């Protein structure tokens, strides 16, 4: 007998789930998208489950019919896929209907249709060049494949030094999965990393991967989704949102650069794609492979405690050495030691490249009034405006506010001094120091789209530029054969932040950038500028001693009961005025203090975060940490339900927050 | 008379159905499948019933094998009167003090806070096979499906380990 009723998830605020009738002849199953009438309006809804009968309390009430099924095929036919989304919504304290809406709303047009997938046969086989694996790579690949064949799907952390060929291991494991008729989901932290990854995988596997990320237009994304869903695509490369889509033939999830903070969603739901991938693997019984040259403290801790398997790639192919690291002190914003300048000149003459990592956008990082001393700030956000020479304007990097440099917002003076160095000024300095050299800048302002970025990256790979200056966009995932040298300006700037994760981030960023050098035949070298030369990071970084560093870092964390030895949640309050933000934060704090009294929870009073006003909204944070959040979650759920709906005030909760100092 | 006939037919049908079900479960057990199913119970709890057959063994041997391997079980490991339950990240593993009761017919492991209770019994399936049966309860605020996964993997793993020792 076919089910006569469907429990629908309604993507409308205030309504979660409703039963609708399935008339005779209509076939809809869990995971389908259907059209219904709600309050005289036609809307779409998601079928959570179907049933033969209504719950007793609803039997006497009228039940409206489902008008039609929008999706041709069930999207989430596998109950475990829906269970994964339910887990994600529940764990990260986000309403399930809103999550469903986020996933499907971009696809569904106002006329309540799903776009037709365009016939792009990208996934067909092409000639390819499989790599010859080194002994280390072959051993790791063989061990992983054997383990997975035996049914051991415990997640694995693949720790391999930069340039050790982790991506060759991934490609070999992908081939094994394809041979078994399975799909592979390959997650990358950022869209900017996908171009190089796609090229590499295509070369190695002879298959054009299907790309799935939120920057695609809804139609392209739906096409990719349809190819993935139908099983036509074997390899799906995507950013964190790709994890939310169902893949019926999934056999393996690879999380490349697993340490990267971009895997954490910075708006609700605050899910961490790496952690969610581990959970998806558990629910679906799939292996998950996490790879990094600088694993996150959580993953290292999990590997150390046996929660993950640990595999190592300790050296580069052919025993090529990691590039030696030389430190130089900070002597000014654009300072470079004369020895380095000479070396760069020699390299230019030999057509070798040098990469300068300057992780600051714009020309000057602040504009200071010479008359009243006021630092020019965004009127909408509590942040300093950055001068962009290309546009000759001061800009806010958070709300895109823009204004001419003068006059001073406080006293009207025309005398403003542009201080601090961003990448634009640094590039200008390079052009002065090395006249005639071909300089390219890889940053979001110079290369606003994917096409421009891919073009420049291809030119660098072909040896078309002498000097490359880049922000974090250039720091990982790229292979430049002619790169001789990496120079890291303000290498330990991150250590000046009041964030317990500062040392870990600093070690990761510098190691990743340094790792771009010496990956091919050309020996590499790395120059780093240190502000805080006595920090313990410097005991390990020059030797690339990640294990030594992370062990010391974890010993501190354990002593101070910081993550991963405790769990951190941050309640975020956003209100239209400062008073309202304070009032709401205080009320929530008092409630939490009462509700959590006597439990092993450290609750910190509400504070204004470093960026306390964004888009004219005032923000307050309230952090709590506990050995486990399981007991705290119901309390937080209650708080969100009570405070989340107040007019003008938005209360959200970042579970497993990466930092207490997060923006 | 008709009513009596009807009742008799219905009773026969029920018996037949029950026999079919038993036969089917028995066949599956003989095919070395591990059977399990779950029932949600009050609060954050789920009840598990699971069983799997072990060849060339007697109930006493199976319980003895289990007893010897308590510290080396995937998903749960019991050592020094404490059970360590492996949970997938981002959940932390759980360590629960437990009381273990052993007798000739059963091995019972009870968490001291009543959040977990596992009762292992064994019975002869036929002359060759013994079935290890687990009746369990597990309470935790994690989603039901996760609890079920942990328990299902636990019974599958236990049966596999004992089979390996016996086969």
């Amino acid at each position: 007998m076919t089910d006569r009723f469907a429990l629908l998830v309604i993507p409308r605020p205030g309504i979660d789930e409703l039963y609708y009738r399935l008339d005779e002849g209509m076939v809809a199953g869990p995971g389908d998208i259907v059209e219904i009438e709600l309050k005289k309006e036609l809307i779409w809804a998601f079928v959570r489950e179907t049933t033969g009968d209504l719950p007793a309390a609803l039997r006497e009430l009228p039940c409206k019919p489902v008008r039609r099924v929008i999706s041709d095929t069930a999207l989430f036919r596998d109950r475990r896929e829906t269970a994964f989304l339910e887990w994600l919504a529940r764990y990260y304290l986000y309403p399930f209907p809103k999550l469903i809406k986020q996933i499907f709303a971009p696809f569904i047009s106002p006329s309540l249709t799903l776009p037709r997938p365009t016939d792009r046969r990208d996934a067909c086989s092409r000639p390819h060049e499989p790599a010859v694996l080194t002994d280390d790579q072959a051993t790791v690949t063989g061990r992983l494949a054997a383990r997975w064949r035996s049914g051991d799907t415990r997640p694995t952390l693949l720790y391999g030094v930069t340039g050790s060929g982790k991506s060759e291991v991934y490609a070999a494991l992908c081939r094994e999965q394809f041979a078994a008729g399975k799909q592979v989901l390959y997650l990358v932290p950022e869209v900017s990393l996908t171009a190089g990854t796609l090229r590499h995988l295509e070369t190695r596997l002879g298959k054009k991967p299907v790309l799935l990320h939120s920057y695609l237009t809804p139609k392209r994304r739906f096409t990719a989704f349809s190819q993935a869903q139908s099983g036509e695509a074997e390899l799906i490369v995507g950013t964190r949102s790709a994890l939310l889509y169902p893949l019926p033939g999934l056999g393996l999830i690879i999380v490349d650069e697993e340490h990267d903070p971009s895997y954490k969603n910075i708006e609700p739901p605050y899910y961490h794609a790496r952690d969610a991938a581990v959970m998806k693997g558990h629910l679906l019984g799939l292996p998950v492979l996490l790879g990094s040259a600088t694993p996150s403290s959580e993953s290292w801790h999990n590997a150390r405690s046996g929660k993950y398997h640990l595999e190592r790639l300790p050296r580069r192919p052919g025993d090529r050495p990691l590039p030696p690291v030389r430190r130089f002190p900070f002597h000014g914003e654009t300072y470079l030691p004369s020895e380095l300048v000479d070396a760069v000149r020699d390299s230019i003459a030999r057509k070798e490249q040098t990469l300068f990592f300057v992780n600051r956008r714009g020309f000057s990082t602040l504009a200071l009034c010479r008359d009243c001393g006021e630092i020019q700030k965004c009127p909408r956000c509590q942040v300093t405006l950055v001068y962009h020479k290309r546009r000759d304007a001061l800009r806010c990097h958070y709300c895109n506010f823009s204004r001419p440099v003068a006059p001073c917002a406080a006293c009207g003076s025309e005398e403003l001094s542009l201080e601090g160095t961003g990448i634009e000024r640094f590039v200008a300095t390079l052009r002065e120091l090395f006249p005639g050299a071909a300089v390219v800048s890889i940053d979001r302002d110079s290369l606003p789209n994917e096409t421009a970025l891919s073009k420049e990256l291809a030119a660098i790979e072909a040896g078309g530029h002498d000097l490359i200056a880049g922000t974090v966009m250039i720091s990982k995932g790229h292979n430049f054969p002619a790169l001789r040298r990496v120079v890291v300006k303000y290498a330990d700037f991150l250590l000046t932040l009041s964030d317990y994760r500062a040392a870990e981030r600093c070690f990761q960023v510098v190691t990743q950038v340094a790792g771009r050098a010496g990956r091919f035949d050309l020996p590499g070298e790395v120059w780093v500028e240190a502000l805080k030369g006595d920090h313990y990071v410097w005991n390990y970084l020059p030797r690339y001693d990640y294990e030594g560093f992370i062990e010391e870092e974890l010993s501190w964390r354990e002593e101070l009961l910081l993550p991963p030895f405790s769990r951190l949640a941050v309640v975020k309050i956003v209100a239209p005025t400062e008073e309202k933000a304070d009032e709401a934060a205080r009320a929530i704090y008092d409630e939490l203090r009462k509700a959590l009294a006597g439990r092993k929870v450290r609750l910190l009073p509400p504070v204004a975060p470093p960026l306390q006003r964004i888009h004219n909204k005032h923000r307050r944070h309230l952090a709590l940490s506990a050995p486990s959040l399981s007991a705290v979650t119901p309390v937080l759920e209650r708080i969100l339900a009570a405070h989340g709906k107040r007019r003008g005030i938005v209360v959200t909760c970042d579970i497993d927050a990466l930092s207490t100092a997060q923006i | 008379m008709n009513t009596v006939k009807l009742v008799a037919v219905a009773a026969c049908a029920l018996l037949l159905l029950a026999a079919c079900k038993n036969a089917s479960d028995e066949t599956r057990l003989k095919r070395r499948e591990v059977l399990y199913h779950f029932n949600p119970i009050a609060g954050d709890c789920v009840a598990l019933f699971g069983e799997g057959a072990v060849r060339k063994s007697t109930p006493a041997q199976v319980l003895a094998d289990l007893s010897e391997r308590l510290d080396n079980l995937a998903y749960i490991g019991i050592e020094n009167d404490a059970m360590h339950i492996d949970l997938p990240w981002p959940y932390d593993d759980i360590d629960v003090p437990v009381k273990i009761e052993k007798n000739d017919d059963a091995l019972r492991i009870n968490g001291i806070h009543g959040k977990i209770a596992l009762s292992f019994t064994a019975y002869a399936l036929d002359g060759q096979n013994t079935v290890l049966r687990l009746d369990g309860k597990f309470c935790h605020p994690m989603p039901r499906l996760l609890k079920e996964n942990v328990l299902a993997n636990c019974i599958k793993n236990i049966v596999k380990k004992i089979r390996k020792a016996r086969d």
Side-chain angles (χ1 to χ4, degrees):
Chain A
M1 196 182 81
T2 51
D3 288 336
R4 291 177 50 233
F5 300 96
L7 178 62
L8 305 181
V9 174
I10 312 290
R12 285 291 153 105
I15 311 168
D16 283 351
E17 292 177 337
L18 291 173
Y19 279 97
Y20 271 69
R21 197 176 71 237
L22 293 168
D23 283 340
E24 212 172 317
M26 182 176 287
V27 182
D32 275 335
I33 302 277
V34 293
E35 182 184 294
I36 55 163
E37 191 187 318
L38 183 78
K39 294 180 182 171
K40 294 185 179 166
E41 199 189 340
L42 293 181
I43 61 164
W44 65 272
F46 176 85
V47 183
R48 188 166 198 168
E49 61 184 49
T50 55
T51 169
D53 205 359
L54 288 173
L58 302 176
R59 277 181 205 146
E60 301 305 316
L61 300 172
C63 187
K64 284 187 185 177
V66 167
R67 290 175 60 90
R68 68 188 175 96
V69 179
I70 296 175
S71 48
D72 289 331
T73 54
L75 299 167
F76 282 86
R77 223 356 99 74
D78 187 340
R79 180 180 161 254
R80 296 172 306 170
E81 294 274 9
T82 320
F84 164 65
L85 294 184
E86 283 175 342
W87 168 81
L88 192 134
R90 187 168 164 186
Y91 184 80
Y92 291 102
L93 301 178
Y94 193 71
F96 182 65
K98 275 177 92 174
L99 182 65
I100 290 293
K101 188 181 174 184
Q102 271 191 15
I103 297 171
F104 289 107
F107 297 151
I108 300 170
S109 71
S111 59
L112 293 180
T113 51
L114 287 166
R116 307 296 317 164
T118 45
D119 190 21
R120 290 177 43 184
R121 303 271 166 194
D122 286 346
C124 59
S125 290
R126 292 156 192 231
H128 60 287
E129 309 155 18
V132 178
L133 298 181
T134 63
D135 287 349
D136 286 345
Q137 292 164 356
T139 308
V140 168
T141 306
R143 216 163 25 217
L144 286 172
R147 194 179 291 151
W148 297 341
R149 275 197 296 269
S150 77
D152 180 354
T153 55
R154 186 173 286 236
T156 301
L157 173 65
L158 174 58
Y159 160 53
V161 298
T162 54
S164 57
K166 292 183 286 297
S167 51
E168 301 299 355
V169 173
Y170 301 152
L173 292 167
C174 285
R175 263 197 301 277
E176 294 245 347
Q177 293 294 326
F178 300 158
K182 296 283 185 186
Q183 292 177 307
V184 176
L185 175 62
Y186 189 117
L187 293 181
V188 291
E190 288 171 51
V191 179
S192 67
L193 278 186
T194 50
T197 307
L198 291 181
R199 261 201 314 277
H200 175 259
L201 292 171
E202 202 178 334
T203 313
R204 288 290 180 252
L205 301 169
K207 290 177 196 298
K208 193 171 173 79
V210 161
L211 200 59
L212 197 54
H213 58 75
S214 51
Y215 285 94
L216 296 174
T217 60
K219 190 167 181 177
R220 278 187 67 191
R221 206 186 326 172
F222 188 75
T223 298
F225 170 48
S226 301
Q227 287 175 324
Q229 233 262 327
S230 67
E232 187 189 329
E234 290 175 289
L235 177 60
I236 297 96
V237 176
T239 50
R240 57 178 182 264
S241 61
L243 192 71
L244 306 180
Y245 298 103
L247 299 169
L250 192 59
L252 167 66
I253 304 175
I254 295 171
V255 185
D256 194 14
E257 310 286 1
E258 67 81 31
H259 65 276
D260 200 294
S262 308
Y263 280 120
K264 177 84 171 163
N265 208 16
I266 55 167
E267 51 195 37
Y270 297 101
Y271 67 96
H272 199 303
R274 176 201 60 215
D275 298 348
V278 169
M279 183 52 73
K280 189 168 186 169
H282 178 83
L283 289 175
L284 273 69
L286 304 173
V288 178
L289 179 59
L290 314 173
S292 178
T294 48
S296 62
S297 47
E298 287 85 358
S299 295
W300 188 259
H301 174 64
N302 284 338
R304 203 171 62 161
S305 65
K307 223 169 171 67
Y308 297 166
H309 293 293
L310 177 63
E311 293 292 347
R312 287 181 167 86
L313 286 175
R315 58 196 142 248
R316 290 180 164 185
D319 262 336
R320 265 197 300 272
L322 285 158
V325 177
R326 297 180 63 170
R327 256 195 301 166
F328 63 94
F330 177 80
H331 282 320
E333 296 276 342
T334 54
Y335 166 77
L336 295 175
S338 55
E339 202 185 335
L340 170 61
V341 173
D342 291 341
V344 174
R345 282 205 182 104
D346 287 348
S347 290
I348 293 170
R350 288 198 298 270
K351 292 309 262 178
E352 294 167 357
Q353 295 170 327
T354 300
L355 186 154
F356 295 88
F357 177 69
V358 184
N359 200 16
R360 291 178 185 178
R361 288 169 63 193
F363 186 87
S364 299
T365 46
L366 60 94
L368 183 75
C369 177
R370 283 189 182 143
D371 287 329
C372 70
E374 177 83 1
I375 292 173
Q376 306 302 299
K377 290 194 170 166
C378 174
R380 296 197 290 237
C381 312
Q382 195 75 19
V383 295
T384 308
L385 290 169
V386 173
Y387 176 63
H388 286 253
K389 197 170 187 181
R390 205 174 286 115
R391 297 181 181 205
D392 191 22
L394 295 176
R395 278 184 63 196
C396 170
H397 288 170
Y398 292 90
C399 70
N400 278 334
F401 168 82
S402 178
R403 59 155 250 220
V405 178
C408 166
C411 70
S413 166
E414 295 287 319
E415 295 296 312
L416 279 106
S417 157
L418 298 170
E419 305 289 337
T421 297
I423 191 156
E424 280 186 50
R425 188 192 289 243
F426 196 80
V427 167
T429 309
L430 289 179
R431 291 201 165 110
E432 274 171 32
L433 269 173
F434 309 105
V439 187
V440 65
S441 182
I442 306 288
D443 65 296
R444 208 193 301 176
D445 303 297
S446 313
L447 307 167
N449 58 49
E450 218 183 303
T451 320
L453 174 66
S454 301
K455 202 175 138 196
E456 288 300 354
L457 290 174
I460 298 169
E461 275 183 39
H465 296 287
D466 300 315
L467 307 178
I468 306 140
T471 56
V472 74
M473 281 170 79
I474 200 82
S475 66
K476 57 205 161 209
H478 306 297
N479 294 311
F480 303 133
L483 188 68
R484 173 84 170 85
R485 182 177 303 101
V486 167
V487 181
V488 188
K489 280 289 283 178
Y490 328 116
D492 52 3
F493 165 74
L494 283 167
L495 295 176
T496 61
L497 301 178
S498 60
D499 177 6
Y500 74 88
R501 221 177 267 268
E504 181 185 342
R505 288 287 302 129
C506 173
F507 193 97
Q508 287 165 345
V509 170
V510 177
T511 308
Q512 293 288 340
V513 189
R516 299 310 101 204
R519 294 168 84 94
F520 295 86
D521 297 333
L522 211 57
E525 62 181 48
V526 178
W527 294 66
V528 292
E529 183 179 60
L531 299 161
K532 292 168 80 75
D534 55 349
H535 194 281
Y536 65 87
V537 160
W538 292 113
N539 297 338
Y540 305 100
L541 223 163
R543 292 182 277 124
Y544 299 97
D545 181 8
Y546 169 78
E547 294 192 40
F549 163 74
I550 200 70
E551 289 298 335
E552 174 156 3
E553 178 69 17
L554 285 175
S555 69
W556 285 110
R557 301 261 188 101
E558 189 167 16
E559 201 167 320
L560 300 170
L561 275 181
L562 289 166
F565 298 97
S566 67
R567 313 307 286 265
L568 181 68
V570 176
V571 179
K572 298 180 174 181
I573 299 121
V574 179
T577 66
E578 210 166 346
E579 292 71 33
K580 281 188 176 171
D582 280 332
E583 195 188 314
R586 199 73 223 172
I588 291 172
Y589 175 66
D590 288 342
E591 268 181 58
L592 278 173
R593 209 171 43 169
K594 261 187 224 160
L596 299 172
R599 299 196 194 184
K600 280 186 186 168
V601 179
R602 268 197 298 186
L603 177 64
L604 302 177
V607 290
L611 302 174
Q612 54 182 283
R613 184 161 51 92
I614 300 282
H615 285 285
N616 268 337
K617 301 279 187 196
H618 295 263
R619 298 137 54 93
R620 295 292 181 271
H621 284 182
L622 214 154
L624 57 93
S625 75
S628 156
L629 287 180
S630 293
V632 180
T633 306
V635 177
L636 291 171
E637 259 173 329
R638 219 172 45 234
I639 298 273
L640 291 184
H643 294 266
K645 288 175 186 165
R646 279 195 196 172
R647 184 167 289 183
I649 297 174
V650 179
V651 182
T652 55
C653 186
D654 184 354
I655 296 288
D656 290 334
L658 286 185
S659 155
T660 45
Q662 251 183 339
I663 55 165
Chain B
M1 189 64 183
N2 280 346
T3 317
V4 174
K5 267 186 185 172
L6 269 174
V7 170
V9 169
C12 286
L14 278 174
L15 279 172
L16 194 68
L17 274 173
C20 284
K21 189 184 170 290
N22 284 342
S24 147
D25 279 357
E26 195 180 315
T27 314
R28 289 172 68 192
L29 284 169
K30 281 183 182 166
R31 282 204 306 251
R32 290 164 76 83
E33 278 182 49
V34 177
L35 311 180
Y36 49 87
H37 62 254
F38 301 94
N39 278 319
I41 44 180
D44 283 319
C45 304
V46 67
L48 159 80
F49 155 80
E51 52 186 12
V54 182
R55 279 186 204 148
K56 299 175 204 160
S57 58
T58 64
Q61 283 169 334
V62 165
L63 286 178
D65 285 345
L66 171 68
S67 187
E68 279 167 24
R69 287 170 180 77
L70 287 179
D71 61 335
N72 186 27
L73 302 174
Y75 290 91
I76 61 165
I78 298 156
E79 225 170 345
N80 303 328
D81 290 339
M83 180 190 286
H84 180 85
I85 306 173
D86 263 351
L87 295 179
W89 181 259
Y91 293 95
D92 288 319
D93 296 350
I94 305 172
D95 289 293
V96 197
V98 289
K99 278 177 82 173
I100 301 175
E101 294 167 27
K102 291 180 204 174
N103 60 36
D104 293 345
D105 305 320
L107 191 155
R108 290 192 185 84
I109 304 162
N110 293 312
I112 61 160
H113 305 301
K115 301 270 184 191
I116 190 155
L118 304 175
S119 169
F120 293 96
T121 49
Y123 64 88
L125 184 63
D126 50 32
Q128 284 287 303
N129 291 291
T130 294
V131 174
L132 175 69
R133 173 178 168 141
L134 165 64
D135 291 281
K137 180 185 89 168
F138 183 23
C139 306
H140 191 275
M142 73 170 83
R144 188 183 145 197
L145 192 90
L146 271 181
K147 286 191 278 260
E148 293 180 359
N149 253 24
V150 169
L151 289 173
N153 286 326
C154 167
I155 179 73
K156 281 194 275 188
N157 189 268
I158 290 169
V159 172
K160 211 166 140 186
K161 283 228 158 81
I162 296 175
R163 277 177 186 164
K164 214 172 167 183
R166 280 283 141 198
D167 282 357

